[in-house]
Amino acid sequence: MTRIALITGITGQDGSYLAEYLLGLGYQVHGVVRRSSTFSTERIDHLYREPQAESRLRLHYGDLTDGQSLTNLVLKIRPDEIYNLGAQSHVRVSFDQPVYTLQAVGCGALNILEAARLLNESHPVRVYQASSSEMYGDVLQTPQTERTPFNPQSPYACAKVYAFHQTINYRRSYDLFASNGILFNHESERRGETFVTRKITRAAGRIKAGLQEKLYLGNLDAKRDWGYAKDYVKGMHLILQHHQPDDFVLATGRTASVREFCELVFKRLDLNYEDHVEIDPRYYRPAEVDLLLGEPSKAFEELGWQATTSLEELAAIMTDHDHEIAKRELHAANFDQFSG
Ligand code: NAP
Ligand code: GDD
């Protein structure tokens, strides 16, 4: 029997990699997409170009804030696995849009759990909730494990803590297979361009190509446990294949500062980051998370999962990818000038 998965947030970084991975495993994949005035499916368009994948990938309009339509969709598709990855996922933006962030992240997760609870009465379903290391906030213990108390520092993190606890509540109250992956930062060449790693690799590529001179950043001393998104979606899948629902930290076990990431990226392009990076206080946050460092041994021991991409490899993948984009931009600009 073909397994059926439903992914919210399929147009995002993780959703696109997870869809790719599940299609490769033979799943039928359904994704929830928000209606927008322009196409938002750039990260998954290539999946339609693969004939095998096309017939097993279906997209549906929906929104995490619209519980009724989510329930209708879940009862119609009858998925075996639901991956709730949809979110207003930008921490800085959550300070500007705290209520919407709660609606999409907190109530959105509750809407998914309710829909799953109803389906579970007639068809067994497993739910993955995209929880976040951001929940540790002003950390109370280092490194952070599944037992470290949360101390959230942003509206986004508060909403994720709510979703985390509701996931456990539905597991205990309704015997629903509902699990949290507490994922530390994971990046890629598909990372949104306003997250710091991608902002750095995009700018460094453009600086190398002569298309811009400066990169404006906020706090360079913040430290994160950065991994590669492709590794992490495999962990999400393993969490739902476990013999029982549970909560798992996925992390690399190494932390580095934003400054160190800048050094790695600029050095790969034979540049010195200090010549180009300037501080703009507009990128400071009302409250900062200074240090995240995950302890992923439970995931290794119980799931056999571990991060396989080093920070140096991650920086190289992203830098090379974005340098190529910058070279194409330069080529297009020169062509316009020549033909104009
Ligand atoms: P992302 O690239 O920002 O993608 C977010 C996805 O959610 C997009 O597909 C977006 O759709 C969708 N979305 C936003 N609001 C929605 C709504 N109201 N209804 C339905 N869909 C909505 O995020 P990501 O990096 O892939 O992260 C995936 C999940 O993991 C998120 O829940 C994030 O909070 C969590 N997480 C991420 C990390 C990380 O380091 N990446 C770490 C821990 C946890 P549009 O394309 O239409 O905007
Ligand atoms: N975005 C951004 N832009 N961050 C900057 C900048 C800048 O110009 N300058 C410094 N930073 C610092 C931020 O203050 C933060 O300490 C760090 O870089 C990382 O910021 P982001 O890349 O925006 O990620 P995040 O850690 O806040 O949140 C990401 O990881 C969480 C998991 O811990 C997101 O993917 C969340 O959705 C995820 O839950």
Side-chain angles (χ1 to χ4, degrees):
M1 277 285 280
T2 304
R3 307 268 308 157
I4 301 176
L6 174 65
I7 304 175
T8 71
I10 194 168
T11 56
Q13 170 187 259
D14 291 4
S16 66
Y17 283 123
L18 181 64
E20 227 165 71
Y21 184 62
L22 295 180
L23 286 168
L25 293 178
Y27 276 68
Q28 184 180 115
V29 174
H30 294 260
V32 176
V33 293
R34 298 192 289 175
R35 192 268 157 187
S36 60
S37 64
T38 54
F39 289 115
S40 60
T41 53
E42 194 184 335
R43 292 187 179 102
I44 50 172
D45 283 343
H46 63 287
L47 295 176
Y48 279 99
R49 288 195 283 274
E50 291 165 28
Q52 284 288 324
E54 187 184 353
S55 58
R56 286 188 284 111
L57 176 63
R58 290 272 179 281
L59 301 181
H60 309 264
Y61 283 116
D63 195 296
L64 281 163
T65 60
D66 180 356
Q68 187 61 58
S69 65
L70 285 177
T71 297
N72 293 342
L73 189 62
V74 165
L75 294 180
K76 190 173 102 188
I77 295 170
R78 299 175 71 77
D80 304 298
E81 297 169 15
I82 301 177
Y83 296 86
N84 183 34
L85 310 185
Q88 188 305 92
S89 73
H90 203 283
V91 174
R92 176 67 190 83
V93 171
S94 78
F95 288 96
D96 299 328
Q97 291 194 280
V99 175
Y100 173 68
T101 301
L102 175 62
Q103 286 164 347
V105 172
C107 301
L110 184 58
N111 284 331
I112 287 292
L113 289 163
E114 262 300 281
R117 179 180 71 79
L118 290 173
L119 175 62
N120 204 44
E121 290 172 2
S122 60
H123 174 85
V125 59
R126 297 183 170 202
V127 180
Y128 172 87
Q129 168 57 26
S131 288
S132 166
S133 53
E134 188 68 17
M135 301 187 300
Y136 297 116
D138 189 8
V139 296
L140 299 173
Q141 181 188 310
T142 296
Q144 294 88 48
T145 74
E146 291 80 2
R147 290 171 306 286
T148 303
F150 300 136
N151 194 16
Q153 288 272 83
S154 65
Y156 167 82
C158 292
K160 283 285 184 188
V161 170
Y162 173 85
F164 174 90
H165 287 299
Q166 279 293 18
T167 301
I168 294 174
N169 179 36
Y170 271 62
R171 182 197 303 164
R172 291 180 182 155
S173 306
Y174 304 116
D175 205 19
L176 180 69
F177 193 114
S179 298
N180 286 288
I182 308 173
L183 270 53
F184 283 64
N185 297 49
H186 46 280
E187 319 292 312
S188 73
E189 59 275 37
R190 292 189 198 163
R191 185 58 144 152
E193 294 188 14
T194 60
F195 296 97
V196 78
T197 54
R198 189 83 200 282
K199 185 173 167 182
I200 292 167
T201 55
R202 280 290 279 136
R206 286 176 55 82
I207 289 168
K208 182 71 181 176
L211 289 165
Q212 75 183 63
E213 274 185 21
K214 296 289 178 197
L215 163 61
Y216 295 93
L217 294 173
N219 179 11
L220 298 187
D221 296 318
K223 295 181 110 179
R224 292 291 183 275
D225 180 327
W226 276 301
Y228 189 29
K230 269 191 191 178
D231 290 341
Y232 286 57
V233 299
K234 294 179 188 165
M236 295 176 188
H237 179 252
L238 284 172
I239 287 172
L240 287 199
Q241 311 317 306
H242 198 44
H243 62 89
Q244 62 185 18
D246 203 347
D247 309 312
F248 293 93
V249 160
L250 300 188
T252 68
R254 170 181 170 187
T255 192
S257 67
V258 173
R259 187 187 307 282
E260 286 170 81
F261 193 81
C262 283
E263 276 172 7
L264 281 176
V265 169
F266 279 79
K267 208 185 231 174
R268 185 158 179 91
L269 297 170
D270 297 320
L271 296 169
N272 180 358
Y273 87 95
E274 286 170 317
D275 296 336
H276 301 282
V277 172
E278 294 200 356
I279 302 301
D280 185 336
R282 279 183 308 163
Y283 296 113
Y284 290 150
R285 294 167 181 193
E288 178 62 286
V289 171
D290 295 322
L291 165 74
L292 292 176
L293 174 61
E295 214 282 78
S297 58
K298 180 178 171 185
F300 181 64
E301 282 157 22
E302 296 191 24
L303 305 174
W305 180 89
Q306 63 181 331
T308 59
T309 311
S310 71
L311 184 66
E312 287 74 14
E313 287 165 338
L314 174 66
I317 291 167
M318 293 177 68
T319 305
D320 294 352
H321 177 270
D322 286 345
H323 188 206
E324 286 305 314
I325 293 184
K327 284 196 263 186
R328 287 201 294 275
E329 284 174 355
L330 179 66
H331 183 72
N334 286 340
F335 182 77
D336 281 353
Q337 211 175 26
F338 184 67
S339 58

